């Protein structure tokens, strides 16, 4: 459960955050070398004249997350959930407002890059090193990572190139590598949507362990059961705005009534 003592330690604070994407328009010459050169030369021209469309993905979002919390991010498609996670991880700039973090956020998504031409075994070692683990730590936890992922349950797939894996196998291995290390702030984007129920249960149990030993876990998922089983608090984003922030049961009740009403 989340820390209920008077000394709650903040790990992430979002203060009036706006995130805006800029998308090139569809005017003549778009994508050509000449158009690119003109954009460089005319740096001071307005975005409107340049044919740039602004997409306001996250609008004035504020919240504080604390050590020991597992927080679900829910919302219909295009509501800004993954965009907000990327900004917390430092991968996207904010247009207005600020994001403050206590510790190092680590983003895990189902599309997180592993090297397709290398074996799963080699990716485990490189992924562990990339997260800051020592070679000795990777070696010690290697078998645990492989067993957790379950990718060897039907053969010795860990010795094969990643390009031979199904999308589900690759996603399970990514999660297993990331979950082998305690994190200050772990950001998970749909990783629990892959694999069978047995793997999802292992993943949910591991998230609960991470909360005890580390800081904060954020989970983006369209699976409300995973949110219920894993998170004690939920942020509901809709059209980029924070519509509700509260206990999981309360927020999911309102969200499910909203989505059922749209069907």
């Amino acid at each position: 459960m989340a820390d209920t003592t008077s000394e709650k330690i903040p790990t992430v604070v979002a203060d009036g955050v706006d995130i805006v994407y800029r998308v090139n328009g569809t005017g003549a010459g778009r994508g050509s070398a000449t158009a690119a050169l003109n954009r460089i030369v005319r740096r001071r021209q307005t975005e409107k004249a340049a044919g740039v469309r602004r997409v306001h993905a996250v609008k004035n979002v504020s919240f504080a997350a604390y050590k020991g919390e597992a927080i679900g991010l829910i919302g219909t498609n295009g509501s800004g959930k993954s965009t907000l996670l990327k900004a917390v991880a430092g991968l996207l700039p904010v247009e207005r407002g600020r994001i403050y973090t206590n510790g190092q956020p680590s983003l895990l998504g189902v599309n997180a890059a592993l090297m397709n031409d290398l074996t799963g075994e080699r990716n485990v070692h490189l992924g562990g090193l990339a997260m800051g683990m020592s070679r000795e730590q990777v070696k010690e936890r290697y078998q645990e990572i492989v067993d957790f992922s379950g990718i060897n349950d039907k053969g010795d797939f860990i010795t094969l190139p990643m390009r031979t894996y199904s999308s589900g196998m690759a996603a399970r291995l990514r999660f297993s590598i990331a979950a082998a290390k305690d994190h200050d702030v772990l950001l998970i984007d749909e990783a629990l949507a892959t694999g069978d129920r047995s793997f999802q249960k292992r993943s949910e149990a591991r998230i609960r362990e991470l909360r005890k030993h580390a800081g904060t876990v954020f989970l983006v998922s369209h699976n409300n059961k995973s949110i219920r089983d894993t998170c004690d608090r939920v942020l509901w984003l809709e059209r980029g705005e924070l519509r509700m922030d509260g206990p999981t049961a309360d927020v999911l009740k309102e969200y499910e009534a909203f989505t059922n009403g749209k069907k």
Side-chain angles (χ1 to χ4, degrees), residues 77-212:
N77 289 336
S79 60
K81 305 181 297 296
S82 296
T83 297
L84 182 59
L85 276 199
K86 290 176 183 176
V88 172
L91 300 178
L92 281 178
V94 299
E95 184 82 2
R96 282 179 292 275
R98 295 290 297 273
I99 295 176
Y100 305 90
T101 59
N102 180 10
Q104 177 61 48
S106 303
L107 176 63
L108 168 68
V110 294
N111 293 320
L114 292 179
M115 303 186 73
N116 279 335
D117 289 335
L118 298 182
T119 65
E121 178 179 13
R122 187 61 179 152
N123 272 293
V124 169
H125 285 280
L126 293 177
L129 293 173
M131 289 194 305
M133 297 167 62
S134 68
R135 294 183 184 277
E136 291 73 21
Q137 288 174 322
V138 176
K139 186 175 181 180
E140 288 173 2
R141 301 177 191 182
Y142 170 78
Q143 195 58 49
E144 176 186 340
I145 292 170
V146 176
D147 292 344
F148 189 99
S149 71
I151 63 173
N152 265 7
D153 290 351
K154 296 182 179 180
D156 192 21
F157 283 97
I158 198 67
T159 63
L160 297 178
M162 285 282 296
R163 64 173 178 270
T164 66
Y165 292 10
S166 68
S167 59
M169 289 169 62
R172 295 200 307 272
L173 185 59
R174 292 184 187 101
F175 180 87
S176 302
I177 294 169
K181 179 181 182 292
D182 290 339
H183 300 266
D184 298 319
V185 178
L186 181 59
L187 311 162
I188 305 171
D189 193 351
E190 288 289 6
L192 301 188
T194 62
D196 55 21
R197 186 57 189 157
S198 174
F199 178 76
Q200 291 176 19
K201 283 185 173 293
R202 294 200 302 275
S203 301
E204 291 161 5
R206 178 56 182 146
I207 288 175
R208 288 190 286 271
E209 290 178 16
L210 288 168
R211 291 166 57 190
K212 293 177 184 176

